[in-house]
Tab-separated table of all heavy atoms in Angstrom:
chain	number	residue	atom	x	y	z
Z	955	ARG	N	13.926	9.592	-1.952
Z	955	ARG	CA	15.231	9.825	-1.328
Z	955	ARG	C	15.954	8.603	-0.897
Z	955	ARG	O	15.204	7.593	-0.625
Z	955	ARG	CB	14.988	10.705	-0.012
Z	955	ARG	CG	14.522	12.167	-0.334
Z	955	ARG	CD	14.644	12.990	0.904
Z	955	ARG	NE	13.677	12.652	1.967
Z	955	ARG	CZ	12.492	13.278	2.092
Z	955	ARG	NH1	12.158	14.268	1.295
Z	955	ARG	NH2	11.646	12.933	3.061
Z	958	TYR	N	17.496	4.859	4.712
Z	958	TYR	CA	18.147	5.182	6.035
Z	958	TYR	C	17.801	3.978	6.892
Z	958	TYR	O	16.709	3.352	6.822
Z	958	TYR	CB	17.727	6.468	6.599
Z	958	TYR	CG	16.231	6.621	6.910
Z	958	TYR	CD1	15.702	6.235	8.187
Z	958	TYR	CD2	15.363	7.100	5.915
Z	958	TYR	CE1	14.378	6.363	8.433
Z	958	TYR	CE2	14.028	7.223	6.216
Z	958	TYR	CZ	13.547	6.823	7.501
Z	958	TYR	OH	12.214	6.902	7.675
Z	1016	LEU	N	-0.976	-9.420	-3.644
Z	1016	LEU	CA	-0.320	-9.417	-2.354
Z	1016	LEU	C	0.979	-10.010	-2.321
Z	1016	LEU	O	1.964	-9.569	-1.688
Z	1016	LEU	CB	-1.337	-10.222	-1.371
Z	1016	LEU	CG	-1.004	-10.123	0.080
Z	1016	LEU	CD1	-1.233	-8.690	0.659
Z	1016	LEU	CD2	-1.906	-11.148	0.886
Z	1019	GLY	N	3.774	-7.693	-3.139
Z	1019	GLY	CA	3.978	-6.519	-2.241
Z	1019	GLY	C	2.893	-5.386	-2.523
Z	1019	GLY	O	3.018	-4.285	-1.907
Z	1029	GLY	N	-11.659	2.560	-19.454
Z	1029	GLY	CA	-13.028	2.671	-19.785
Z	1029	GLY	C	-13.995	1.594	-19.436
Z	1029	GLY	O	-15.178	1.554	-19.609
Z	1051	ALA	N	-21.340	-12.093	-17.520
Z	1051	ALA	CA	-22.431	-11.159	-17.078
Z	1051	ALA	C	-22.722	-11.327	-15.577
Z	1051	ALA	O	-23.112	-10.293	-14.957
Z	1051	ALA	CB	-23.688	-11.552	-17.946
Z	1053	ALA	N	-20.841	-11.400	-13.199
Z	1053	ALA	CA	-19.838	-10.646	-12.398
Z	1053	ALA	C	-20.347	-9.109	-12.290
Z	1053	ALA	O	-19.666	-8.434	-11.430
Z	1053	ALA	CB	-18.416	-10.651	-13.028
Z	1061	ASP	N	-23.291	0.503	-4.869
Z	1061	ASP	CA	-23.414	-0.867	-4.657
Z	1061	ASP	C	-22.110	-1.629	-4.767
Z	1061	ASP	O	-21.869	-2.596	-3.973
Z	1061	ASP	CB	-24.278	-1.499	-5.823
Z	1061	ASP	CG	-25.704	-0.861	-5.790
Z	1061	ASP	OD1	-26.230	-0.499	-4.645
Z	1061	ASP	OD2	-26.305	-0.754	-6.789
Z	1069	ALA	N	-16.768	-7.872	1.099
Z	1069	ALA	CA	-15.913	-8.949	0.695
Z	1069	ALA	C	-14.629	-8.926	1.452
Z	1069	ALA	O	-13.913	-9.924	1.614
Z	1069	ALA	CB	-15.545	-8.851	-0.763
Z	1070	ALA	N	-14.268	-7.700	2.048
Z	1070	ALA	CA	-12.994	-7.512	2.871
Z	1070	ALA	C	-11.846	-8.152	2.115
Z	1070	ALA	O	-11.150	-9.133	2.567
Z	1070	ALA	CB	-13.119	-8.193	4.213
Z	1139	LEU	N	-18.736	14.619	-20.989
Z	1139	LEU	CA	-18.804	13.891	-19.767
Z	1139	LEU	C	-17.761	14.373	-18.757
Z	1139	LEU	O	-18.080	14.436	-17.552
Z	1139	LEU	CB	-18.376	12.418	-20.187
Z	1139	LEU	CG	-19.534	11.406	-20.391
Z	1139	LEU	CD1	-18.887	10.057	-20.582
Z	1139	LEU	CD2	-20.329	11.293	-19.106
Z	1184	LEU	N	1.505	3.941	-21.101
Z	1184	LEU	CA	2.023	4.681	-22.241
Z	1184	LEU	C	3.041	3.839	-22.941
Z	1184	LEU	O	3.932	3.161	-22.259
Z	1184	LEU	CB	2.764	5.983	-21.732
Z	1184	LEU	CG	3.305	6.942	-22.738
Z	1184	LEU	CD1	2.273	7.480	-23.736
Z	1184	LEU	CD2	4.047	8.057	-22.080
Z	1225	LEU	N	-8.472	-10.080	-28.144
Z	1225	LEU	CA	-7.908	-10.255	-29.510
Z	1225	LEU	C	-8.537	-9.347	-30.470
Z	1225	LEU	O	-9.789	-9.470	-30.754
Z	1225	LEU	CB	-8.089	-11.764	-29.971
Z	1225	LEU	CG	-7.559	-12.124	-31.352
Z	1225	LEU	CD1	-6.085	-11.922	-31.397
Z	1225	LEU	CD2	-7.931	-13.538	-31.635
Z	1237	THR	N	0.314	-14.318	-28.826
Z	1237	THR	CA	-0.123	-15.588	-28.065
Z	1237	THR	C	-1.531	-15.490	-27.611
Z	1237	THR	O	-1.956	-14.376	-27.078
Z	1237	THR	CB	0.837	-15.811	-26.877
Z	1237	THR	OG1	2.179	-15.904	-27.327
Z	1237	THR	CG2	0.445	-17.104	-26.206
Z	1259	TRP	N	-4.697	-25.066	-38.633
Z	1259	TRP	CA	-6.017	-25.014	-39.312
Z	1259	TRP	C	-5.889	-24.763	-40.780
Z	1259	TRP	O	-6.863	-24.883	-41.574
Z	1259	TRP	CB	-6.876	-23.889	-38.726
Z	1259	TRP	CG	-7.364	-24.176	-37.334
Z	1259	TRP	CD1	-7.414	-25.300	-36.672
Z	1259	TRP	CD2	-7.910	-23.181	-36.466
Z	1259	TRP	NE1	-7.917	-25.149	-35.422
Z	1259	TRP	CE2	-8.262	-23.894	-35.283
Z	1259	TRP	CE3	-8.252	-21.892	-36.464
Z	1259	TRP	CZ2	-8.903	-23.314	-34.122
Z	1259	TRP	CZ3	-8.876	-21.190	-35.391
Z	1259	TRP	CH2	-9.172	-21.893	-34.208
Z	1292	PRO	N	10.458	10.646	-15.157
Z	1292	PRO	CA	9.981	11.099	-13.839
Z	1292	PRO	C	8.511	11.223	-13.806
Z	1292	PRO	O	7.905	11.088	-12.713
Z	1292	PRO	CB	10.549	12.454	-13.734
Z	1292	PRO	CG	11.781	12.438	-14.556
Z	1292	PRO	CD	11.500	11.612	-15.707
Z	1323	SER	N	15.899	-2.161	-11.751
Z	1323	SER	CA	16.783	-1.281	-10.917
Z	1323	SER	C	18.046	-1.900	-10.461
Z	1323	SER	O	19.105	-1.459	-10.782
Z	1323	SER	CB	15.955	-0.977	-9.623
Z	1323	SER	OG	16.706	-0.190	-8.626
Z	1325	ASP	N	19.489	-5.057	-11.514
Z	1325	ASP	CA	20.246	-5.789	-12.520
Z	1325	ASP	C	20.721	-4.865	-13.678
Z	1325	ASP	O	21.791	-4.987	-14.155
Z	1325	ASP	CB	19.513	-7.038	-12.977
Z	1325	ASP	CG	19.217	-7.958	-11.922
Z	1325	ASP	OD1	19.829	-7.893	-10.897
Z	1325	ASP	OD2	18.298	-8.801	-12.107
Z	1326	ILE	N	19.759	-4.076	-14.209
Z	1326	ILE	CA	20.034	-3.172	-15.305
Z	1326	ILE	C	20.555	-1.810	-14.926
Z	1326	ILE	O	21.273	-1.244	-15.702
Z	1326	ILE	CB	18.687	-3.072	-16.190
Z	1326	ILE	CG1	18.212	-4.441	-16.601
Z	1326	ILE	CG2	18.911	-2.164	-17.417
Z	1326	ILE	CD1	19.112	-5.193	-17.520
Z	1328	LEU	N	18.643	0.856	-14.279
Z	1328	LEU	CA	17.922	1.839	-15.031
Z	1328	LEU	C	17.691	3.136	-14.060
Z	1328	LEU	O	17.645	4.252	-14.552
Z	1328	LEU	CB	16.578	1.273	-15.488
Z	1328	LEU	CG	15.755	2.161	-16.392
Z	1328	LEU	CD1	16.452	2.407	-17.667
Z	1328	LEU	CD2	14.329	1.463	-16.625
Z	1347	GLY	N	-4.455	10.874	-4.871
Z	1347	GLY	CA	-4.954	11.486	-3.686
Z	1347	GLY	C	-5.244	10.406	-2.535
Z	1347	GLY	O	-6.095	10.529	-1.728
Z	1353	GLU	N	3.848	6.467	1.668
Z	1353	GLU	CA	5.187	6.838	2.389
Z	1353	GLU	C	5.208	6.201	3.710
Z	1353	GLU	O	4.233	5.960	4.419
Z	1353	GLU	CB	5.244	8.349	2.553
Z	1353	GLU	CG	5.317	9.198	1.302
Z	1353	GLU	CD	5.410	10.637	1.619
Z	1353	GLU	OE1	5.770	11.043	2.663
Z	1353	GLU	OE2	5.175	11.380	0.582
Z	1355	ARG	N	5.802	7.052	6.989
Z	1355	ARG	CA	5.810	8.259	7.696
Z	1355	ARG	C	5.009	8.090	9.001
Z	1355	ARG	O	4.003	7.399	8.949
Z	1355	ARG	CB	5.229	9.416	6.908
Z	1355	ARG	CG	5.237	10.746	7.609
Z	1355	ARG	CD	4.543	11.766	6.791
Z	1355	ARG	NE	5.200	12.146	5.564
Z	1355	ARG	CZ	4.930	13.139	4.807
Z	1355	ARG	NH1	3.893	13.887	5.086
Z	1355	ARG	NH2	5.569	13.410	3.694
Z	1364	LEU	N	8.238	-5.666	3.182
Z	1364	LEU	CA	9.572	-5.992	3.618
Z	1364	LEU	C	10.156	-6.925	2.497
Z	1364	LEU	O	9.656	-8.044	2.303
Z	1364	LEU	CB	9.653	-6.644	5.009
Z	1364	LEU	CG	11.036	-6.860	5.703
Z	1364	LEU	CD1	11.669	-5.603	6.019
Z	1364	LEU	CD2	10.797	-7.737	6.845
Z	1365	PHE	N	11.303	-6.503	1.878
Z	1365	PHE	CA	11.832	-7.331	0.905
Z	1365	PHE	C	13.371	-7.405	0.917
Z	1365	PHE	O	13.996	-6.497	1.457
Z	1365	PHE	CB	11.352	-6.952	-0.557
Z	1365	PHE	CG	11.766	-5.563	-1.018
Z	1365	PHE	CD1	13.016	-5.453	-1.682
Z	1365	PHE	CD2	11.061	-4.422	-0.809
Z	1365	PHE	CE1	13.346	-4.143	-2.128
Z	1365	PHE	CE2	11.403	-3.213	-1.205
Z	1365	PHE	CZ	12.637	-3.085	-1.984
Z	1387	ASP	N	9.445	-10.706	1.922
Z	1387	ASP	CA	9.497	-11.272	3.299
Z	1387	ASP	C	8.164	-11.105	3.975
Z	1387	ASP	O	7.807	-11.963	4.807
Z	1387	ASP	CB	10.634	-10.819	4.066
Z	1387	ASP	CG	11.990	-11.193	3.552
Z	1387	ASP	OD1	12.031	-12.345	2.953
Z	1387	ASP	OD2	12.923	-10.469	3.480
Side-chain angles (χ1 to χ4, degrees):
R955 291 194 291 264
Y958 59 91
L1016 193 65
D1061 299 329
L1139 261 183
L1184 184 61
L1225 180 59
T1237 302
W1259 288 347
S1323 178
D1325 300 341
I1326 302 298
L1328 188 62
E1353 294 182 15
R1355 181 187 293 191
L1364 187 69
F1365 66 89
D1387 295 323

